[in-house]
Amino acid sequence: MKAYAAAVATVLFGASAITAFAPSASITTRTNGGVANTKFSSALGMADDEKVFDQEAYIAESKEMRLKYLEEQAMFALKIAVENYGNAVFPNAMIAGDVVITHLLHRMGYLKDGAAKVMVVDTFHLFPETMDFLREIEEFYGFKAEVFCAEGVPVGDKAGYDAKYGANLWKEDIEQYDKVCKVEPFQRGLKTLNTDCMINGRTRWQGFERAWIDQFENAPIGGGLAKCNPIAYWTLEDTFDYIAKYEVPHHPLHAQGYPSIGDAKDTIPIPEDGSTKFVNFKFEGDKTPWLDYASERKGRFVGLANKDGSTKTECGIHVAGAEQTFDRDLWEEGAVKNIASTDEAAEIIGSGKEAIVAVYAPWCQFCQGMEDEFAKYAESAGVPVYKFRGDEERDFVQASLNTESFPTVNFIKADGSVVKYDSEARSADDFATFEKSFEKSTA
């Protein structure tokens, strides 16, 4: 039968074509020193019976070859990021891709010698397992991460966060929540650590928003911070293959059905019944819901929408404009006067004199948005104009200054009553009109 097939091939394609259809057990390559033959396993060799090659063995060997190449490529990118720059920083979210990068940095010796710094953003809404896992890998690899959280709140102080920003900020304004709990601490961390190259675990496989990223790019921070994406070309399957190959410590929630892990409030298992898991370095159940293209983050941002109604797929850290966070107070100069304490605020309310008081938070985009117009109004106002930072005194401003959200502008009447400005129109003329409305009432 084999002789007949060979004869037919010879007639149809010529004698040289016979070997063209047969897998070779070696490949000839050119090197600097000449020609070399690279040998492969018997998976590629011709068998004596009808079975040409072992398909499963060939697939396994091909995956191993691919993973080996991806590892070397990723380590080369990390070498450039760490050794070509002075302060490479790795913001580690401890998801699958990030634990791979952590392991690669460890293999290269960059963690113990501090050549690459690790930072973590605690949103105060993470799964409790996440920060526990951080401590586990710190001990395992011998490094200490720098943890950053919402401005003005000590690390780990959830009660302090709730008091300053409100426990339900994410429900009231998801974009403000992202800014306060993710983007600003992230940016502050990079600045604090004097970062000149940011290492992160984004991949093309994660979805169309990231489909064209390369291993190096300029981040939308500080005019163009270098960003290294060492695993940009990996699939999620590659990632878990690597974790299994080296038995890499990974987030415990993978064993409970979570392909990716973010905030506990909006992260769910995929599928929702938790039937797909990664346990003891192996998948249990159907792995395709995790490994299909753009499926890694399907369980993230669940139930959340952007203000334009579109489905939320990014927290804002990696998008253009991310550098526009607050790193200063509002109305630092000009005619708007600062109220430094609740006692001073109470004194102004009870002074018997009219005034305008804006209750604000410097991180609030709406407060930032009215900064110029309110300053312009204050320059020609007929009454003293004040600002009072309300996010640090929530109980007081709720009880005494009509404040449930920021900004809240109030007119203080001579009799001590406080009248809220109930409009979203915030131009200098609008504020002037609000002030003048009280002239009629006292005339």
Side-chain angles (χ1 to χ4, degrees):
M1 188 70 179
K2 287 182 180 178
Y4 173 77
V8 171
T10 301
V11 171
L12 293 176
F13 306 110
S16 62
I18 299 175
T19 56
F21 291 93
S24 172
S26 67
I27 294 177
T28 301
T29 57
R30 296 205 171 270
T31 67
N32 290 336
V35 178
N37 284 330
T38 302
K39 296 288 185 180
F40 293 99
S41 73
S42 58
L44 294 178
M46 292 292 290
D48 290 334
D49 55 18
E50 298 83 15
K51 184 178 180 183
V52 175
F53 69 96
D54 184 335
Q55 180 172 297
E56 293 302 319
Y58 172 77
I59 292 172
E61 187 169 1
S62 296
K63 288 183 68 177
E64 176 59 27
M65 291 167 61
R66 170 184 167 80
L67 189 58
K68 184 175 185 296
Y69 173 77
L70 289 172
E71 289 176 40
E72 293 174 350
Q73 184 186 55
M75 286 192 287
F76 182 63
L78 289 171
K79 179 180 175 66
I80 294 173
V82 174
E83 298 184 13
N84 192 55
Y85 295 89
N87 290 295
V89 175
F90 173 37
N92 193 339
M94 291 161 281
I95 57 178
D98 286 0
V99 301
V100 166
I101 295 173
T102 305
H103 189 263
L104 290 169
L105 289 169
H106 166 71
R107 285 174 62 186
M108 301 176 77
Y110 292 148
L111 291 181
K112 279 197 171 181
D113 68 9
K117 301 181 184 73
V118 178
M119 63 170 269
V120 171
V121 173
D122 182 2
T123 67
F124 292 115
H125 294 76
L126 300 173
F127 288 94
E129 292 90 343
T130 298
M131 297 307 286
D132 291 342
F133 178 57
L134 172 60
R135 289 185 280 273
E136 178 186 326
I137 60 174
E138 284 178 329
E139 182 177 352
F140 186 87
Y141 292 119
F143 73 93
K144 185 66 177 176
E146 297 280 350
V147 180
F148 296 87
C149 59
E151 187 268 339
V153 181
V155 171
D157 187 2
K158 177 62 163 63
Y161 165 82
D162 290 347
K164 182 168 184 175
Y165 295 102
N168 294 322
L169 176 61
W170 69 273
K171 294 179 182 178
E172 297 165 357
D173 191 330
I174 189 60
E175 291 182 7
Q176 280 301 104
Y177 168 79
D178 284 347
K179 195 169 186 179
V180 167
C181 295
K182 299 179 182 181
V183 179
E184 191 281 331
F186 186 90
Q187 307 288 355
R188 177 162 31 90
L190 294 177
K191 291 177 182 177
T192 300
L193 298 175
N194 297 314
T195 310
D196 56 8
C197 184
M198 177 177 66
I199 300 166
N200 78 104
R202 295 184 309 150
T203 75
R204 292 183 173 192
W205 193 256
Q206 289 168 340
F208 70 91
E209 303 95 339
R210 302 177 174 186
W212 300 104
I213 63 172
D214 286 308
Q215 282 197 309
F216 281 91
E217 58 184 340
N218 288 330
I221 303 166
L225 177 72
K227 181 188 286 188
C228 174
N229 309 310
I231 61 171
Y233 312 133
W234 294 42
T235 67
L236 188 60
E237 184 175 17
D238 295 326
T239 301
F240 279 104
D241 284 346
Y242 182 95
I243 291 171
K245 176 181 178 180
Y246 293 101
E247 296 191 353
V248 174
H250 53 282
H251 202 296
L253 290 184
H254 290 313
Q256 296 182 35
Y258 294 82
S260 184
I261 298 94
D263 281 351
K265 61 182 173 54
D266 52 55
T267 304
I268 63 172
I270 296 295
E272 290 188 45
D273 62 5
S275 57
T276 302
K277 303 174 183 178
F278 189 73
V279 182
N280 296 325
F281 305 104
K282 294 180 179 179
F283 277 102
E284 293 183 359
D286 181 8
K287 62 185 179 181
T288 55
W290 284 26
L291 302 184
D292 278 345
Y293 179 72
S295 293
E296 177 181 355
R297 287 149 46 89
K298 278 186 177 178
R300 299 279 299 278
F301 311 112
V302 174
L304 302 181
N306 297 310
K307 286 194 172 181
D308 63 3
S310 61
T311 300
K312 191 167 185 61
T313 59
E314 294 277 1
C315 67
I317 286 175
H318 298 289
V319 300
E323 76 281 4
Q324 296 172 1
T325 56
F326 63 95
D327 54 6
R328 62 174 181 82
D329 198 7
L330 303 183
W331 301 293
E332 293 179 306
E333 299 176 351
V336 180
K337 303 173 184 178
N338 184 51
I339 299 175
S341 66
T342 55
D343 288 342
E344 187 179 342
E347 184 179 333
I348 290 170
I349 294 171
S351 67
K353 299 178 181 179
E354 295 179 338
I356 288 280
V357 177
V359 184
Y360 75 104
W363 45 264
C364 171
Q365 62 180 333
F366 303 109
C367 298
Q368 294 168 4
M370 79 171 207
E371 184 178 18
D372 291 344
E373 288 295 312
F374 193 69
K376 182 179 176 182
Y377 156 68
E379 291 174 358
S380 57
V383 297
V385 178
Y386 296 95
K387 65 172 184 175
F388 182 65
R389 182 163 179 175
D391 61 322
E392 296 178 338
E393 300 289 351
R394 285 180 179 265
D395 290 343
F396 176 82
V397 297
Q398 287 174 359
S400 303
L401 288 167
N402 299 317
T403 303
E404 295 296 331
S405 61
F406 306 112
T408 296
V409 176
N410 290 292
F411 187 88
I412 311 299
K413 298 176 73 172
D415 63 6
S417 57
V418 180
V419 182
K420 181 179 178 180
Y421 175 60
D422 252 336
S423 173
E424 298 296 319
R426 298 187 180 112
S427 71
D429 289 341
D430 293 321
F431 294 128
T433 300
F434 176 57
E435 177 198 326
K436 290 175 182 177
S437 69
F438 294 93
E439 294 178 2
K440 298 176 183 177
S441 63
T442 57

